[in-house]
Structures are given as C-alpha cells and as structure tokens.
Amino acid sequence: MTSLDRLTAAEQSPVDGDASRRAYFDHAATTPLRPEALEAMLPFLTDNFANPSGAHAESRRARIALDDARDLIAELLGVGPGDVVLTSGGTEADDLAVHGGWAALAAEGAKGSDGSGRGAPAALVCAAMEHHAVLEAFRTLAQSRGVELRLVPSDSSGQIDLDALAEVCDASVGLVSVMAVNNEIGTIQPLDAVVRVVAERSPRAVVHTDAVQAAPWLDLPAVTAGADLMSISAHKFGGPKGSGALALRRGALVWPRLDGGGQERGRRSGTPNVAGAVGMAAALAATVSERNATVARVAALRNRLGDGLLATVSDMVETGDRDDRVAGILHLRIGGVEAEALVVLLDQVGVATSAGAACSSGAVEPSHVLGAMGLDPVESSTGIRFSLGV
C-alpha cells in the first residue's frame, strides 16, 4: 500500500467503529472547521493561489485578501492592523512572544533606550501551569541567555497565586507570561490583577498572555486589554490548523525568529498562508458574532454532563470552580484511575476525551497543571478533560 493509498483509507475511515455513534469531547484540542472558514478559504486553495508578495495581478488579489483578513482579525482582537503578526499557530505565536519579545527587550536595555540606566532585564516570570509552548520557550530562553526563570504556582482552584506573583516580581523582571484560560482545566486567569501586580512591582516588564483557549469563549479585547502580547490559534475556534497570530499592544516589539524575506513587517519571514489567514478571520468573526448564544448553550450542556457524571461515578471529583471556568471545559478526577487508561477505554466505547494538552497525550506523566495546584503526582495522573464546542 502506498502512502497515498493509506491517506485515502484514513480519510474514508476516520475513526474506529461507527462514527455516527461517537461523541467528540475534545474541542480544546481541535475544533471542526467552520463552514464559514471553509467557504472563505476555498478560492485561495484553488484559483487564487498566487504568492501575495509578487507584483502581478494574481499576487495583488492574494495580497488584498491577506490584508482584508489581517484587518478583520485586528479589529476582532482590539488592535491595529499593523499590530498583528500572522504565524503558523499558537505555538509559534507563543515562541515569538517569548524569544522575540525578550530579544527586543534585551537590545533596548543594552542600549539604555528605556531611560532607566539599569541595563537589560535579568529575570523571567511565568505561571507554572502554562501550556508547554510557553513553558518550554521560557526554559530554553533562560538556559540559553543565562537569565533567571521564576515560576509561579496556582491556588487550589487553578488560578495563579497573586501573592506568589508579587513575591517574584521586581525591577529585574523583563517578561511575564500568564495565560488567559488554562488549556487543561479551563480556569479563567485574573489577568487584570496580574497586570496590576506587574505594573507595580516590575514596571519595565512586558506582559504576554496565551489566549488560545480564551478565544472561543471570552471577549478578547476586554479580557486581555492589559497584555502587551497576545497569542491565538485558529483551529481552537473553527479555523484551519496551521494558522495563528500574535497581537501586539502599546508599542511592544518582537525580534524575528525566522530570517528571510522580511514579511510581517520584518517580524516573521516566510510566504504568508493566505488561505489560512482568510479562514482564521472568517472563523473568528463567526465565533464572535455567535459567542453569547454559544456560551449559554454549551455551558448548559457542560453542566448537565458534569452533574450526571458526578452523581453516577463514585470517587469522582471536579477540578476547580465552574464559575471561574470557560463554558467548554469540564475537568474531572477519579481516585485510583489513571487518566490515560480511562481515555483509551472511553475511546473504545465511542467517546473522545483527553487527559490534558493534545501535544502531550500519549505520555503517561502527572499533569504539571494539577501539580502547580498542589496535587501530588498520583492524583495529578487522574485528571480527564471533557471539552465541548460548537
């Protein structure tokens, strides 16, 4: 069987068993493509295929579509069109924010252009329950640049410990990252309070927020208003995989991670994914327009599912408080039951769930998110995420 034969077979039989009888509870990992996104993308996957960097008519059409998509994304995120850097997804957006943001800070500090006379910043601050795209970027940065990384634990409800944050923030801190919504347990982080603490204790610091899980459920311009850098990923709200964006506010700078033709105003070289940007814009617009109704409907379904499971399954507990969680995520723990094993068993009976972040599935390790909340390694291995969507 050739590679093409295997691909065709997988397309015809996407899952084991009868797909019509399966229940998909893994929207936090990826969502189905919205019809609005597919319709918007198709012309740029077929006839309008040109490179938007060219000078001829075909390229100009692609450039107009790319610019229109960027304008719409910027408007929906509450920033200017020139403040949106299109990326290959949330991971690249996070990586660019961390490494590119730090490089810009270090360069400005070395020149003394901040007027402080204190040189480049020397410390990083990151919530301990961040997505691995942020955590690993911080760890790599700390090791490669020889700067100190300070991790901040969460309280028992899954929100960042603001007192602990205040303790680690001082004048040496240059970059702080706290996600808007946790990808594993769905807790909404108090970003306004985080920004206030950072402004008071580390006035030079740039604040980044990974808003990948927030986009489907929260008003991003309002919730993330205090953040200087914000990351999103299209496939979390009905857009295509492989498309994301980093939004910049208040003159925040990022140095490029990719050298090349200088696209994205010199911040991210490479031929832009026109179809991806157009699909992301269409999906985000549909998400925003339907958000209130979607949140109400999905929250009711999530509560019904949670209440039913908690009433039926012994030794099951819910992680965190529903009042502080987005509508689409229900996180449960069953004493003595390893989450990875439960995910496999549920899959066999037609229920798709996750034991945590999609990129870490398959690794039987305690959840670092639950560990940051103070749970021991055994209990941190029992969490299972049911995530709902449109």
Side-chain angles (χ1 to χ4, degrees), residues 274-357:
V274 178
V278 169
M280 176 165 56
L284 186 57
T287 297
V288 171
S289 68
E290 300 170 5
R291 182 180 284 134
N292 291 340
T294 298
V295 167
R297 178 178 62 82
V298 173
L301 292 172
R302 186 271 315 272
N303 292 343
R304 178 182 174 188
L305 174 65
D307 292 343
L309 289 173
L310 290 166
T312 304
V313 181
S314 60
D315 296 327
M316 176 176 278
V317 295
E318 187 168 359
T319 308
D321 188 333
R322 288 184 197 173
D323 292 337
D324 298 323
R325 184 187 300 150
V326 291
I329 294 182
L330 172 71
H331 192 274
L332 303 167
R333 307 192 310 277
I334 307 175
V337 178
E338 189 177 85
E340 291 287 347
L342 184 56
V343 168
V344 172
L345 292 172
L346 286 171
D347 182 51
Q348 291 173 354
V349 296
V351 180
T353 61
S354 172

Side-chain angles (χ1 to χ4, degrees), residues 218-231:
L218 303 179
D219 180 352
L220 291 186
V223 171
T224 69
D228 304 292
L229 302 168
M230 171 179 57
S231 308

Side-chain angles (χ1 to χ4, degrees), residues 13-345:
S13 181
V15 291
D16 295 334
D18 184 355
S20 65
R21 301 189 63 179
R22 290 184 62 85
Y24 184 75
F25 289 110
D26 206 17
H27 285 79
T30 201
T31 57
L33 189 67
R34 280 181 170 269
E36 299 92 341
L38 178 60
E39 182 180 2
M41 292 171 67
L42 280 175
F44 302 96
L45 295 170
T46 53
D47 296 335
N48 297 336
F49 56 84
N51 189 322
S53 299
H56 46 70
E58 289 82 359
S59 287
R60 289 197 297 274
R61 284 197 293 270
R63 167 58 65 181
I64 290 171
L66 184 68
D67 289 344
D68 288 346
R70 188 193 310 277
D71 289 349
L72 181 55
I73 292 167
E75 178 184 347
L76 296 170
L77 297 182
V79 300
D83 298 324
V84 171
V85 182
L86 299 175
T87 69
S88 64
T91 294
E92 187 191 349
D94 286 339
D95 184 88
L96 179 59
V98 175
H99 287 281
W102 181 264
L105 286 167
E108 291 301 304
K111 292 189 298 185
S113 61
D114 63 351
S116 67
R118 290 173 291 182
L124 304 160
V125 171
C126 180
M129 68 184 326
E130 291 295 302
H131 189 281
H132 285 295
V134 173
L135 273 178
E136 294 308 315
F138 265 90
R139 287 169 177 154
T140 300
L141 177 61
Q143 183 176 17
S144 63
R145 293 296 188 100
V147 296
E148 181 184 2
L149 172 58
R150 303 168 185 173
L151 295 178
V152 185
S154 306
D155 60 24
S156 60
S157 70
Q159 292 186 321
I160 188 168
D161 185 327
L162 293 173
D163 290 335
L165 175 66
E167 289 180 8
V168 299
C169 282
D170 57 31
S172 70
V173 173
L175 183 63
V176 177
S177 189
V178 177
M179 64 201 328
V181 171
N182 182 260
N183 57 292
E184 190 169 323
I185 63 176
T187 47
I188 302 169
Q189 300 302 311
L191 280 182
D192 286 347
V194 167
V195 170
R196 287 195 296 271
V197 170
V198 174
E200 179 181 346
R201 305 277 298 175
S202 305
R204 289 197 295 163
V206 169
V207 177
H208 165 252
T209 187
D210 177 334
V212 166
Q213 292 294 340
W217 311 110
L218 303 179
D219 180 352
L220 291 186
V223 171
T224 69
D228 304 292
L229 302 168
M230 171 179 57
S231 308
I232 64 167
S233 185
H235 75 108
K236 304 298 186 178
F237 49 82
K241 300 178 187 69
S243 293
L246 178 66
L248 296 80
R249 292 194 180 96
R250 288 176 288 278
L253 300 175
V254 292
W255 279 23
R257 294 278 283 163
L258 299 173
D259 296 322
Q263 290 89 344
E264 298 298 308
R265 299 194 175 195
R267 297 171 297 199
R268 197 270 188 185
S269 291
T271 301
N273 180 356
V274 178
V278 169
M280 176 165 56
L284 186 57
T287 297
V288 171
S289 68
E290 300 170 5
R291 182 180 284 134
N292 291 340
T294 298
V295 167
R297 178 178 62 82
V298 173
L301 292 172
R302 186 271 315 272
N303 292 343
R304 178 182 174 188
L305 174 65
D307 292 343
L309 289 173
L310 290 166
T312 304
V313 181
S314 60
D315 296 327
M316 176 176 278
V317 295
E318 187 168 359
T319 308
D321 188 333
R322 288 184 197 173
D323 292 337
D324 298 323
R325 184 187 300 150
V326 291
I329 294 182
L330 172 71
H331 192 274
L332 303 167
R333 307 192 310 277
I334 307 175
V337 178
E338 189 177 85
E340 291 287 347
L342 184 56
V343 168
V344 172
L345 292 172

